[in-house]
Amino acid sequence: MIGGKITGIATVRLEAETRNDSGEYMNYIVLVKQVPDIRNIPDEAWDWEKGTLKRAFLTNVLNELDKQALAFAIRMREKQPGQIVALTMGPPFAEEVLRYSMSVGADAGILVTDRKMGGADTAATAYPLGQAVRKIEKEIFHGDRNYVILAGMQSVDGDTAQVPAQVAEELGIAHIAYAEACDFSDGELKVTRITRRGDQIVSPTGYPCVITATSWTEPLNAAFSRTRWTSSQKITAWGAPDISAVESRIGLPGSRTTPFRIFSPKDINRKKTVIEDDLGKLVKLIKDAYTQRLAEADKPREHAAYQFPEGKAGSYHGEVWVYIEQEGGEINVASLEVLGQATELARILKEKVGAVLAGNGIGGLEKEVVAFGADKVYVADDPLLAEFLPVPYTRAVTELVEKYHPQMILFSATPMGRELAPRIAYRANSGLTADCTSLEIFDFKRGATELTAILKQTRPALGGNIMASIITQNSTIQMATARPGVLRALKPDYGRKGEIIEHTASLSGVDPGVRIISTESRPLSSELKDAVAIVSGGLGVKTREGYDKYIRPLAASLGKCLCCEVMVGASRLAVEAGFIDRSHQVGQTGQTVKPKIYVAVGISGAIQHLTGMQNSDVIVAINKNPAAPIFKVADFGVVGDIEEVVPKLCEALSNE
């Protein structure tokens, strides 16, 4: 039998020892995950037929953003003393990440491990983790609910950002995402989080709560004395019976999504980076590619060829819905892109297109949504929805789903969508496929399973090293988020008529879970999403002066050469270093762009940045590191110091 008791300092910390001079304390649970090192995946590690990785062939490491969550917990403990418990779910060898966690500051490590949990999707992972949290609360914290659950914003293998939000939904507590700083003052936890429009300081209205951390500090280093202590400690292992897990909710039986095919991105994208040292040749390549993309942009939209098999109806029934994201009465264009795809899916299925709008004082937006393709608009308007907070928004949207029973609901994979969709899917007992780059209707048959006219959801995984095609199973509704910039919005028709359905959400007495203290919005003076061409600078530019010296002149030279406006962008690290203001930030927590030409200067290519720009038509990378991830998505590249390359490239552009 798997099980045991925690030994070492975790069991001897008494309540008096966890309190500071003012009598205040806080305990912490950090969700950590062992992931494959995606920088080095050997060919023999792939099982292409089964759609899986052979983990024995992989080097395993602690997920980088979970290191940030550990650092976050340790920083919080400096302000508010308490215990830190590292919690992971995985095979027995996953205890390695727990020992690392303890070597940098965690007081105890708990491994949830059971063969029956193998093959779990995010919902079947969140449930046992939630059960383990309940056990920690009861047996280690002695029923004390004064604790915070921390996790990295996402993991590099799945990159879904779903598990922390679904753990919060399982526990019925608040979730604060994209956290980059925290402070305890006046007995209150204050968390600074990134939003699409700026920064926000929020505070949980009660405990426990979940916080997901983004990259904000240097990774922690293990002390020698701490490592020696860790090696002598016992890692507690809990199986499914230990956490009272219902077997139908774990592993494959508890999963609501099934990957049925994995394949290399090369199978659909034959892009190979051309490294060109001759800058004159590079300019010609850029001009030719730009001209070609302009011509392709005028081609009409191709319609899918799917036809229902004779005599068969679809396996799912109901309308095709899209969640329309709005802030301050302004619709996010990424939602309109998803709406455009939904109209095509609904046409194939011979169903109506429904759009869900939630907010306060949002009258008038319905007409805009109808113009972009919606047949029906479901509106939840309530004062508690004035600001986006996951708890009331989840309640309002889930009520609509439960009342009207659509066969699918699609979201954009924006920061808001990544917070909201996982909770709605978990509450609706549906699967959710994140960050899709393709959504199609097809028929599925494998063994005894035969499904008609279902949604094939294709997405990148493992840092873009593979593509996975996924279906929803064991659910009455299919859900997915779509990567911004990969789908196309329809041209608006303001003469269209649609049906407006008002919904009064049951929000009376609902605790929003989070109180917004202040919001610092950045002006959207730089609408990069509409740019034809963008030159972005990263931390490799080194200084604000370097940014002005290299990035802006390059943008000007490229604009003259291509006879178009070229806008200036930046990576998140460049923004945080003060090189340029946040309205120019490209990436997951900035703007998502899809220009004809994207030039990345001194940008290494972290996944958060790639998410926001890798669907650009032509990508040019300039970096001194030939192994930088940016070269994996670039069409053309130059390896060299920007101080030398950029002035010469400006000259070559001027001479063309």
Short mmCIF file of all heavy atoms in Angstrom, two decimals, residues 396-434:
data_model
loop_
_atom_site.label_atom_id
_atom_site.label_comp_id
_atom_site.label_asym_id
_atom_site.label_seq_id
_atom_site.Cartn_x
_atom_site.Cartn_y
_atom_site.Cartn_z
N ALA A 396 -22.04 32.84 -13.99
CA ALA A 396 -22.97 33.39 -14.98
C ALA A 396 -22.95 32.60 -16.29
O ALA A 396 -23.99 32.26 -16.85
CB ALA A 396 -22.64 34.86 -15.24
N VAL A 397 -21.74 32.30 -16.79
CA VAL A 397 -21.64 31.61 -18.08
C VAL A 397 -22.08 30.16 -17.96
O VAL A 397 -22.77 29.63 -18.84
CB VAL A 397 -20.20 31.71 -18.63
CG1 VAL A 397 -20.09 30.95 -19.96
CG2 VAL A 397 -19.81 33.17 -18.84
N THR A 398 -21.74 29.50 -16.85
CA THR A 398 -22.15 28.11 -16.67
C THR A 398 -23.66 27.98 -16.59
O THR A 398 -24.25 27.02 -17.10
CB THR A 398 -21.50 27.50 -15.42
OG1 THR A 398 -20.09 27.67 -15.49
CG2 THR A 398 -21.81 26.02 -15.31
N GLU A 399 -24.32 28.94 -15.97
CA GLU A 399 -25.78 28.93 -15.93
C GLU A 399 -26.37 28.94 -17.34
O GLU A 399 -27.33 28.22 -17.63
CB GLU A 399 -26.30 30.14 -15.15
CG GLU A 399 -26.16 30.02 -13.65
CD GLU A 399 -26.71 31.23 -12.92
OE1 GLU A 399 -27.11 32.21 -13.59
OE2 GLU A 399 -26.73 31.21 -11.68
N LEU A 400 -25.79 29.73 -18.22
CA LEU A 400 -26.26 29.78 -19.60
C LEU A 400 -26.05 28.44 -20.30
O LEU A 400 -26.92 27.95 -21.02
CB LEU A 400 -25.54 30.89 -20.36
CG LEU A 400 -26.01 32.32 -20.09
CD1 LEU A 400 -25.01 33.34 -20.60
CD2 LEU A 400 -27.37 32.55 -20.75
N VAL A 401 -24.88 27.84 -20.09
CA VAL A 401 -24.58 26.55 -20.70
C VAL A 401 -25.58 25.50 -20.22
O VAL A 401 -26.12 24.71 -21.01
CB VAL A 401 -23.14 26.11 -20.37
CG1 VAL A 401 -22.88 24.67 -20.80
CG2 VAL A 401 -22.14 27.04 -21.05
N GLU A 402 -25.86 25.48 -18.92
CA GLU A 402 -26.76 24.48 -18.36
C GLU A 402 -28.21 24.70 -18.78
O GLU A 402 -29.00 23.76 -18.85
CB GLU A 402 -26.65 24.50 -16.83
CG GLU A 402 -25.29 24.00 -16.32
CD GLU A 402 -25.12 24.19 -14.82
OE1 GLU A 402 -25.92 24.96 -14.23
OE2 GLU A 402 -24.20 23.59 -14.25
N LYS A 403 -28.55 25.94 -19.11
CA LYS A 403 -29.94 26.25 -19.49
C LYS A 403 -30.21 25.99 -20.96
O LYS A 403 -31.26 25.48 -21.33
CB LYS A 403 -30.25 27.71 -19.15
CG LYS A 403 -31.69 28.12 -19.44
CD LYS A 403 -31.96 29.54 -18.97
CE LYS A 403 -33.41 29.95 -19.22
NZ LYS A 403 -33.68 31.33 -18.75
N TYR A 404 -29.22 26.32 -21.83
CA TYR A 404 -29.48 26.27 -23.27
C TYR A 404 -28.76 25.13 -24.00
O TYR A 404 -29.03 24.89 -25.17
CB TYR A 404 -29.11 27.61 -23.90
CG TYR A 404 -30.00 28.75 -23.44
CD1 TYR A 404 -29.57 29.64 -22.46
CD2 TYR A 404 -31.28 28.91 -23.96
CE1 TYR A 404 -30.38 30.68 -22.03
CE2 TYR A 404 -32.10 29.94 -23.53
CZ TYR A 404 -31.64 30.82 -22.56
OH TYR A 404 -32.46 31.84 -22.14
N HIS A 405 -27.85 24.45 -23.37
CA HIS A 405 -27.23 23.22 -23.88
C HIS A 405 -26.63 23.36 -25.28
O HIS A 405 -27.05 22.65 -26.21
CB HIS A 405 -28.24 22.07 -23.86
CG HIS A 405 -28.89 21.85 -22.54
ND1 HIS A 405 -28.21 21.35 -21.45
CD2 HIS A 405 -30.17 22.09 -22.12
CE1 HIS A 405 -29.04 21.27 -20.41
NE2 HIS A 405 -30.22 21.72 -20.79
N PRO A 406 -25.63 24.21 -25.47
CA PRO A 406 -24.94 24.23 -26.77
C PRO A 406 -24.12 22.96 -26.93
O PRO A 406 -23.79 22.29 -25.95
CB PRO A 406 -24.04 25.46 -26.67
CG PRO A 406 -23.74 25.57 -25.20
CD PRO A 406 -25.02 25.14 -24.50
N GLN A 407 -23.77 22.62 -28.17
CA GLN A 407 -22.93 21.43 -28.36
C GLN A 407 -21.45 21.77 -28.26
O GLN A 407 -20.62 20.87 -28.07
CB GLN A 407 -23.22 20.75 -29.69
CG GLN A 407 -22.85 21.52 -30.93
CD GLN A 407 -22.99 20.64 -32.17
OE1 GLN A 407 -22.14 19.78 -32.42
NE2 GLN A 407 -24.06 20.84 -32.91
N MET A 408 -21.12 23.04 -28.38
CA MET A 408 -19.73 23.45 -28.15
C MET A 408 -19.70 24.91 -27.76
O MET A 408 -20.60 25.69 -28.12
CB MET A 408 -18.84 23.19 -29.37
CG MET A 408 -19.04 24.10 -30.54
SD MET A 408 -17.89 23.76 -31.92
CE MET A 408 -18.54 22.22 -32.57
N ILE A 409 -18.66 25.27 -27.01
CA ILE A 409 -18.40 26.67 -26.70
C ILE A 409 -16.91 26.91 -26.83
O ILE A 409 -16.09 26.16 -26.28
CB ILE A 409 -18.93 27.09 -25.30
CG1 ILE A 409 -18.62 28.57 -25.02
CG2 ILE A 409 -18.41 26.20 -24.20
CD1 ILE A 409 -19.35 29.13 -23.82
N LEU A 410 -16.57 27.92 -27.60
CA LEU A 410 -15.19 28.24 -27.92
C LEU A 410 -14.78 29.56 -27.27
O LEU A 410 -15.59 30.49 -27.18
CB LEU A 410 -15.00 28.33 -29.44
CG LEU A 410 -15.51 27.12 -30.25
CD1 LEU A 410 -15.36 27.40 -31.74
CD2 LEU A 410 -14.78 25.87 -29.85
N PHE A 411 -13.54 29.62 -26.84
CA PHE A 411 -12.98 30.81 -26.21
C PHE A 411 -11.70 31.19 -26.95
O PHE A 411 -11.07 30.34 -27.60
CB PHE A 411 -12.61 30.56 -24.75
CG PHE A 411 -13.75 30.14 -23.86
CD1 PHE A 411 -14.25 28.84 -23.92
CD2 PHE A 411 -14.30 31.02 -22.94
CE1 PHE A 411 -15.28 28.43 -23.09
CE2 PHE A 411 -15.33 30.62 -22.11
CZ PHE A 411 -15.83 29.33 -22.19
N SER A 412 -11.29 32.41 -26.80
CA SER A 412 -9.96 32.79 -27.27
C SER A 412 -8.96 32.52 -26.16
O SER A 412 -9.27 32.70 -24.98
CB SER A 412 -9.91 34.27 -27.66
OG SER A 412 -8.63 34.60 -28.15
N ALA A 413 -7.76 32.07 -26.52
CA ALA A 413 -6.74 31.73 -25.51
C ALA A 413 -5.97 32.97 -25.07
O ALA A 413 -4.75 33.03 -25.11
CB ALA A 413 -5.79 30.68 -26.07
N THR A 414 -6.72 33.98 -24.65
CA THR A 414 -6.15 35.18 -24.06
C THR A 414 -5.94 34.93 -22.57
O THR A 414 -6.40 33.92 -22.04
CB THR A 414 -7.11 36.36 -24.25
OG1 THR A 414 -8.36 36.00 -23.63
CG2 THR A 414 -7.36 36.65 -25.74
N PRO A 415 -5.28 35.84 -21.86
CA PRO A 415 -5.19 35.67 -20.40
C PRO A 415 -6.55 35.49 -19.75
O PRO A 415 -6.72 34.63 -18.87
CB PRO A 415 -4.51 36.96 -19.95
CG PRO A 415 -3.62 37.32 -21.10
CD PRO A 415 -4.41 36.96 -22.32
N MET A 416 -7.56 36.25 -20.19
CA MET A 416 -8.90 36.10 -19.62
C MET A 416 -9.48 34.74 -19.97
O MET A 416 -10.05 34.05 -19.11
CB MET A 416 -9.84 37.20 -20.10
CG MET A 416 -11.22 37.16 -19.48
SD MET A 416 -12.39 38.35 -20.18
CE MET A 416 -11.66 39.90 -19.64
N GLY A 417 -9.35 34.34 -21.22
CA GLY A 417 -9.89 33.05 -21.64
C GLY A 417 -9.23 31.90 -20.92
O GLY A 417 -9.87 30.90 -20.58
N ARG A 418 -7.92 32.02 -20.65
CA ARG A 418 -7.19 30.95 -19.97
C ARG A 418 -7.57 30.87 -18.49
O ARG A 418 -7.35 29.84 -17.86
CB ARG A 418 -5.69 31.18 -20.11
CG ARG A 418 -5.16 30.76 -21.48
CD ARG A 418 -3.70 31.14 -21.66
NE ARG A 418 -3.13 30.38 -22.77
CZ ARG A 418 -2.09 29.56 -22.67
NH1 ARG A 418 -1.51 29.37 -21.51
NH2 ARG A 418 -1.63 28.93 -23.73
N GLU A 419 -8.10 31.93 -17.93
CA GLU A 419 -8.59 31.88 -16.55
C GLU A 419 -10.01 31.32 -16.49
O GLU A 419 -10.34 30.53 -15.61
CB GLU A 419 -8.58 33.28 -15.93
CG GLU A 419 -7.24 33.79 -15.48
CD GLU A 419 -7.38 35.07 -14.69
OE1 GLU A 419 -7.87 35.01 -13.55
OE2 GLU A 419 -7.02 36.15 -15.22
N LEU A 420 -10.85 31.78 -17.43
CA LEU A 420 -12.28 31.49 -17.34
C LEU A 420 -12.64 30.12 -17.90
O LEU A 420 -13.39 29.36 -17.27
CB LEU A 420 -13.05 32.58 -18.10
CG LEU A 420 -14.57 32.48 -18.08
CD1 LEU A 420 -15.09 32.58 -16.65
CD2 LEU A 420 -15.17 33.60 -18.95
N ALA A 421 -12.14 29.77 -19.08
CA ALA A 421 -12.56 28.54 -19.75
C ALA A 421 -12.31 27.28 -18.91
O ALA A 421 -13.18 26.40 -18.86
CB ALA A 421 -11.87 28.42 -21.11
N PRO A 422 -11.14 27.14 -18.25
CA PRO A 422 -10.93 25.92 -17.45
C PRO A 422 -11.96 25.73 -16.34
O PRO A 422 -12.40 24.61 -16.07
CB PRO A 422 -9.52 26.10 -16.88
CG PRO A 422 -8.85 27.05 -17.81
CD PRO A 422 -9.93 27.98 -18.26
N ARG A 423 -12.35 26.83 -15.70
CA ARG A 423 -13.31 26.72 -14.61
C ARG A 423 -14.69 26.35 -15.14
O ARG A 423 -15.40 25.52 -14.55
CB ARG A 423 -13.36 28.02 -13.80
CG ARG A 423 -12.07 28.36 -13.10
CD ARG A 423 -12.23 29.50 -12.11
NE ARG A 423 -12.97 29.08 -10.94
CZ ARG A 423 -12.60 29.33 -9.67
NH1 ARG A 423 -11.46 29.98 -9.44
NH2 ARG A 423 -13.33 28.93 -8.66
N ILE A 424 -15.10 26.96 -16.25
CA ILE A 424 -16.40 26.63 -16.83
C ILE A 424 -16.42 25.18 -17.29
O ILE A 424 -17.39 24.46 -17.05
CB ILE A 424 -16.71 27.58 -18.01
CG1 ILE A 424 -16.91 29.02 -17.48
CG2 ILE A 424 -17.94 27.12 -18.77
CD1 ILE A 424 -17.05 30.06 -18.56
N ALA A 425 -15.35 24.73 -17.95
CA ALA A 425 -15.28 23.35 -18.42
C ALA A 425 -15.37 22.38 -17.24
O ALA A 425 -16.08 21.36 -17.31
CB ALA A 425 -13.99 23.12 -19.21
N TYR A 426 -14.66 22.69 -16.16
CA TYR A 426 -14.65 21.80 -14.99
C TYR A 426 -16.04 21.74 -14.36
O TYR A 426 -16.53 20.67 -14.02
CB TYR A 426 -13.63 22.29 -13.98
CG TYR A 426 -13.24 21.25 -12.95
CD1 TYR A 426 -12.27 20.30 -13.23
CD2 TYR A 426 -13.83 21.23 -11.69
CE1 TYR A 426 -11.89 19.34 -12.29
CE2 TYR A 426 -13.47 20.29 -10.74
CZ TYR A 426 -12.50 19.35 -11.04
OH TYR A 426 -12.15 18.40 -10.11
N ARG A 427 -16.68 22.89 -14.26
CA ARG A 427 -18.01 22.93 -13.64
C ARG A 427 -19.04 22.25 -14.53
O ARG A 427 -19.98 21.62 -14.03
CB ARG A 427 -18.42 24.38 -13.37
CG ARG A 427 -19.79 24.50 -12.73
CD ARG A 427 -20.11 25.91 -12.28
NE ARG A 427 -19.36 26.28 -11.09
CZ ARG A 427 -19.71 27.26 -10.27
NH1 ARG A 427 -20.80 27.97 -10.51
NH2 ARG A 427 -18.98 27.55 -9.21
N ALA A 428 -18.88 22.37 -15.84
CA ALA A 428 -19.82 21.76 -16.79
C ALA A 428 -19.49 20.30 -17.08
O ALA A 428 -20.13 19.68 -17.93
CB ALA A 428 -19.84 22.57 -18.09
N ASN A 429 -18.44 19.78 -16.41
CA ASN A 429 -18.02 18.39 -16.60
C ASN A 429 -17.66 18.12 -18.06
O ASN A 429 -18.01 17.09 -18.64
CB ASN A 429 -19.11 17.42 -16.13
CG ASN A 429 -18.56 16.02 -15.90
OD1 ASN A 429 -17.38 15.84 -15.61
ND2 ASN A 429 -19.42 15.02 -16.05
N SER A 430 -16.94 19.07 -18.65
CA SER A 430 -16.53 18.95 -20.04
C SER A 430 -15.02 18.91 -20.13
O SER A 430 -14.31 19.38 -19.24
CB SER A 430 -17.04 20.14 -20.85
OG SER A 430 -16.44 20.19 -22.14
N GLY A 431 -14.53 18.37 -21.23
CA GLY A 431 -13.11 18.50 -21.52
C GLY A 431 -12.82 19.89 -22.05
O GLY A 431 -13.74 20.65 -22.41
N LEU A 432 -11.55 20.24 -22.10
CA LEU A 432 -11.14 21.53 -22.66
C LEU A 432 -9.78 21.35 -23.30
O LEU A 432 -8.84 20.89 -22.66
CB LEU A 432 -11.06 22.60 -21.55
CG LEU A 432 -10.57 23.97 -22.01
CD1 LEU A 432 -11.59 24.64 -22.93
CD2 LEU A 432 -10.28 24.88 -20.81
N THR A 433 -9.69 21.71 -24.57
CA THR A 433 -8.42 21.69 -25.28
C THR A 433 -7.93 23.12 -25.43
O THR A 433 -8.65 23.97 -25.95
CB THR A 433 -8.56 21.02 -26.66
OG1 THR A 433 -9.08 19.70 -26.48
CG2 THR A 433 -7.22 20.94 -27.36
N ALA A 434 -6.71 23.37 -24.98
CA ALA A 434 -6.21 24.74 -24.91
C ALA A 434 -5.39 25.12 -26.12
O ALA A 434 -4.70 24.30 -26.72
CB ALA A 434 -5.36 24.91 -23.64
#
